[in-house]
Amino acid sequence: MSAPPKKAFPLRLDPALYAAIERSAASDLRSVNAQVECLLREALGRRGVKLAEPMRAKRGRPPKESE
């Protein structure tokens, strides 16, 4: 089962804000996109907005097929 497609949209940010997010993402070993998503989820959680857990893509090798 694959993860559902994500919604893409343009986002304009102040360059200083983008640089801060970029630094934060690097320290957490995430992409800027993943960091923005994480920060938004945290902010919504603090406001009491309930979200479903994100579907994580399966990693690693697929299981061997039995013969």
Side-chain angles (χ1 to χ4, degrees):
M1 179 188 244
S2 63
K6 293 194 175 203
K7 175 71 176 165
F9 68 98
L11 177 64
R12 292 178 192 87
L13 296 175
D14 179 85
L17 177 59
Y18 184 86
I21 294 170
E22 196 171 32
R23 286 190 305 273
S24 176
S27 70
D28 290 346
L29 301 176
R30 290 189 179 117
S31 67
V32 171
N33 187 72
Q35 188 71 356
V36 168
E37 188 172 344
C38 182
L39 292 170
L40 287 171
R41 285 181 178 278
E42 287 175 4
L44 288 171
R46 283 193 303 272
R47 287 181 168 229
V49 177
K50 296 187 187 243
L51 294 171
E53 285 295 316
M55 289 196 57
R56 308 251 183 243
K58 292 184 179 181
R59 298 185 62 145
R61 291 184 180 178
K64 291 184 178 180
E65 294 181 22
S66 58
E67 293 180 31

